[in-house]
Amino acid sequence: MPPARSAPLHSSLAALPLPRSRLAPRTPPHSPRGGRRGNPPSSPFPSPFPFPAEPLPRARLPPPLRAPCGARGCSAGAAFQYLLVQKTGAQKNVGLIQLNRPQALNALCEGLMAELRRALEAMESDPEVGAIVLTGSQKAFAAGADIKEMQNKTFQECYSSGFLAGWDKVSVVRKPIIAAVNGYALGGGCELAMMCDIIYAGEKAQFGQPEILLGTIPGAGGTQRLTRAVGKSLAMEMVLTGDRISAKEAKEAGLVSKVFPVEKLLDAAIACAEKIASNSKLVTAMAKESVNAAFETTLTEGNRTEKRLFYATFATSDRKEGMTAFVEKRKANFTDS
């Protein structure tokens, strides 16, 4: 059954100042067209966010559940304040997490990130979940970290508490995570998307690292992951100017793998997650570990990691079943063992 339609999430204005847009003048801020420079058109709203005047298309989110998916499936406990969490897909093998802080365009406050870690831990331990989709609203995936929370922090507080260190939980989850990005993915929002394994973007999405405009720099991997994704020149330009790039530019630069119409983005991300979840979860985790090694080691060491994990698959029942099914010309029945 396709996901049911639901009304778009309406957000109020946020205090985070946004950088100037890289899109051409007089082009709506969510448009995939336009040049690489220029300022957004003036907005009737008293905010630095350039909202479009026309209504946004309706979202296609499945009916949300507010409970985490535990080892025995979704239960009724531990409701979230800033997230909508459920299992979806035809086989209910895809975990869906929607950031739900519309009043601040999904600004990543400490409470939201703590809930995200808890939801990911629950899905990691759920044997039915084979892949995870992380999304936001159609106006914003996440417009950045919560500036009001951090504006009065001192160096001593940041250093002694390991400020933002907990965000790395997203990048160490063994199950594949797909970021479905509509609207703004700025600052911490862009960093959060880059922590995921695959990024699908709606055609009106915008990506950026505008921390320089606030007198600071990215602190959750922005300078590192962005450079590895798009190369030094574009990463340096984005980080030093605070300029944003469109979904189309992000696709051309290699930051995202596919771009979809806004209303089809979530369905496409869930379909990809279902395809991943149909494979052996054990071998999928090995494949993810091997690909990630390419970004964190030398070529020689990465090849050693690949060989070690490749050999390890021969100790699994799923490797034997997969090859036997291929020879017998039938569909493999993986048992995640």
Side-chain angles (χ1 to χ4, degrees):
M1 295 289 293
R5 292 176 175 266
S6 63
L9 299 173
H10 295 286
S11 301
S12 62
L13 306 178
L16 174 65
L18 285 181
R20 58 188 179 278
S21 172
R22 294 169 60 92
L23 304 178
R26 302 188 183 183
T27 301
H30 293 286
S31 173
R33 302 184 299 276
R36 296 176 61 91
R37 296 190 182 279
N39 295 321
S42 59
S43 168
F45 298 87
S47 166
F49 283 101
F51 292 140
E54 69 275 7
L56 290 165
R58 296 175 64 85
R60 299 193 65 192
L61 292 172
L65 299 176
R66 292 180 179 269
C69 301
R72 296 184 179 179
C74 290
S75 63
F80 295 111
Q81 179 180 358
Y82 302 115
L83 303 177
L84 300 176
V85 181
Q86 71 175 107
K87 290 194 291 190
T88 188
Q91 304 299 320
K92 299 297 181 184
N93 56 1
V94 174
L96 176 61
I97 302 176
Q98 181 191 357
L99 307 182
N100 186 39
R101 198 184 174 207
Q103 298 300 319
L105 291 177
N106 292 332
L108 304 173
C109 62
E110 292 180 4
L112 186 153
M113 294 306 295
E115 289 187 1
L116 181 57
R117 289 192 294 272
R118 183 155 55 90
L120 289 172
E121 288 169 359
M123 289 183 176
E124 184 87 294
S125 63
D126 189 333
E128 296 179 358
V129 173
I132 301 165
V133 173
L134 179 62
T135 192
S137 69
Q138 291 197 355
K139 285 184 178 178
F141 174 75
D146 193 316
I147 304 304
K148 290 182 179 179
E149 259 188 5
M150 70 171 66
Q151 71 175 116
N152 294 321
K153 286 186 179 292
T154 64
F155 163 77
Q156 289 83 354
E157 286 180 279
C158 292
Y159 187 79
S160 61
S161 66
F163 183 50
L164 300 185
W167 288 34
D168 290 336
K169 173 63 180 177
V170 180
S171 63
V172 299
V173 172
R174 287 193 168 188
K175 294 179 179 179
I177 305 177
I178 302 172
V181 178
N182 265 322
Y184 302 111
L186 306 176
C190 187
E191 290 171 310
L192 179 60
M194 291 190 293
M195 290 180 198
C196 299
D197 302 299
I198 299 170
I199 303 178
Y200 278 6
E203 57 191 3
K204 296 179 181 179
Q206 294 187 34
F207 299 84
Q209 298 290 162
E211 290 86 352
I212 195 73
L213 304 178
L214 302 177
T216 186
I217 68 172
T223 61
Q224 304 304 302
R225 291 188 176 93
L226 184 63
T227 304
R228 285 166 169 77
V230 305
K232 177 183 176 181
S233 181
L234 181 55
M236 196 71 81
E237 182 183 1
M238 292 174 66
V239 170
L240 297 185
T241 65
D243 284 354
R244 304 192 297 265
I245 60 174
S246 67
K248 180 181 179 182
E249 291 172 317
K251 170 70 166 59
E252 292 171 351
L255 181 59
V256 307
S257 56
K258 292 181 180 179
V259 177
F260 297 90
V262 171
E263 66 278 4
K264 295 182 179 179
L265 171 66
L266 187 60
D267 287 343
I270 292 174
C272 178
E274 286 186 284
K275 191 171 185 178
I276 292 171
S278 69
N279 298 317
S280 166
K281 298 177 181 64
L282 179 62
V283 178
T284 294
M286 293 180 180
K288 173 175 173 174
E289 180 182 348
S290 187
V291 173
N292 281 336
F295 288 89
E296 299 176 3
T297 63
T298 64
L299 177 60
T300 299
E301 185 58 36
N303 280 330
R304 288 197 192 101
T305 298
E306 181 185 80
K307 283 291 191 295
R308 173 176 58 81
L309 292 168
F310 169 65
Y311 296 154
T313 65
F314 283 77
T316 68
S317 300
D318 285 341
R319 192 282 314 169
K320 183 176 181 179
E321 166 63 13
M323 291 188 176
T324 301
F326 177 82
V327 172
E328 295 178 355
K329 295 181 172 56
R330 60 175 175 82
K331 184 178 180 179
N333 180 26
F334 295 122
T335 59
D336 305 322
S337 62

